[in-house]
Amino acid sequence: MTSTDLAPSSRGLPGMPRRGAVSLFEIGLLKDEAASQAAFRELKATGHIRYEDLPLQTSDGRRVDVEFVSNLYVEGDQEVIQCNVRDITARKASEAVAANAALETDLAGRERERLVASLDHERRRLGTLLEKAPAFIAVVRGKDHVFELANEAYC
């Protein structure tokens, strides 16, 4: 399979030629001959194929994530295959950052829950100690001395 023209957006993909015909093997989409033949058979049978997240190695060796959509249609007496290749590398990087942020938020939430549970446990433990104290004891909070805990002897 060889293209006879490249869309301006495809020419902008790293490692893609700026003009002229290019084989799909040249841009790294179809390196595995058996897989590419199977994809071509699927395209011929269904009229379209789509890969939403396809890693591509550019001719200069860099990895680019692309979306690859190919449609088969008839133009006059010729079958035409239109291939659209869109660079989704930036979107995937953004999605990875968002997923990492969500994970960090989840971990922070779990740590907060653990800390609150630990503080609650310590508060109950302090309450138990206060109840067993032989004198009256109270724990107050703030400048207004709001009672947080008081043992029965204090009340």
Side-chain angles (χ1 to χ4, degrees), residues 30-55:
L30 304 174
K31 287 188 176 186
D32 180 337
E33 190 172 344
S36 50
Q37 287 174 355
F40 188 70
R41 281 191 302 273
E42 179 182 346
L43 176 62
K44 292 285 277 181
T46 65
H48 66 278
I49 54 174
R50 178 184 188 102
Y51 300 100
E52 292 190 24
D53 184 4
L54 188 66

Side-chain angles (χ1 to χ4, degrees), residues 117-141 147-152:
S118 177
L119 290 173
D120 188 47
H121 171 74
E122 291 301 318
R123 184 183 173 107
R124 284 193 310 273
R125 189 170 151 233
L126 178 60
T128 301
L129 290 172
L130 291 177
E131 285 301 321
K132 293 179 180 180
F136 58 89
I137 299 175
V139 175
V140 294
R141 174 179 41 96
F147 285 90
E148 287 285 315
L149 295 171
N151 66 359
E152 198 170 310

Side-chain angles (χ1 to χ4, degrees), residues 2 5 22 25 29 37 65 75 96 105 125 127 144 146 148:
T2 301
D5 192 18
V22 62
F25 287 98
L29 287 173
Q37 287 174 355
D65 295 305
E75 182 69 34
T105 300
R125 189 170 151 233
D144 297 328
V146 176
E148 287 285 315

Side-chain angles (χ1 to χ4, degrees), residues 2 4 21 24 27 33 45 47 50 57 61 70 74-75 77 94 114 122 130 133 135-136 141 147 155:
T2 301
T4 56
L24 294 178
I27 63 172
E33 190 172 344
R50 178 184 188 102
Q57 184 173 344
S70 189
V74 177
E75 182 69 34
D77 61 348
S94 177
R114 188 195 64 73
E122 291 301 318
L130 291 177
F136 58 89
R141 174 179 41 96
F147 285 90
C155 297

Side-chain angles (χ1 to χ4, degrees), residues 78-146:
Q78 268 190 321
E79 285 186 330
V80 177
I81 298 172
Q82 178 182 355
C83 297
N84 299 304
V85 182
R86 185 169 57 120
D87 186 346
I88 60 170
T89 305
R91 184 188 84 203
K92 284 197 60 170
S94 177
E95 289 170 352
V97 167
N100 191 35
L103 179 60
E104 287 178 5
T105 300
D106 183 50
L107 290 174
R110 288 183 192 181
E111 181 61 22
R112 182 183 178 282
E113 288 173 8
R114 188 195 64 73
L115 181 59
V116 167
S118 177
L119 290 173
D120 188 47
H121 171 74
E122 291 301 318
R123 184 183 173 107
R124 284 193 310 273
R125 189 170 151 233
L126 178 60
T128 301
L129 290 172
L130 291 177
E131 285 301 321
K132 293 179 180 180
F136 58 89
I137 299 175
V139 175
V140 294
R141 174 179 41 96
K143 64 180 180 177
D144 297 328
H145 304 289
V146 176

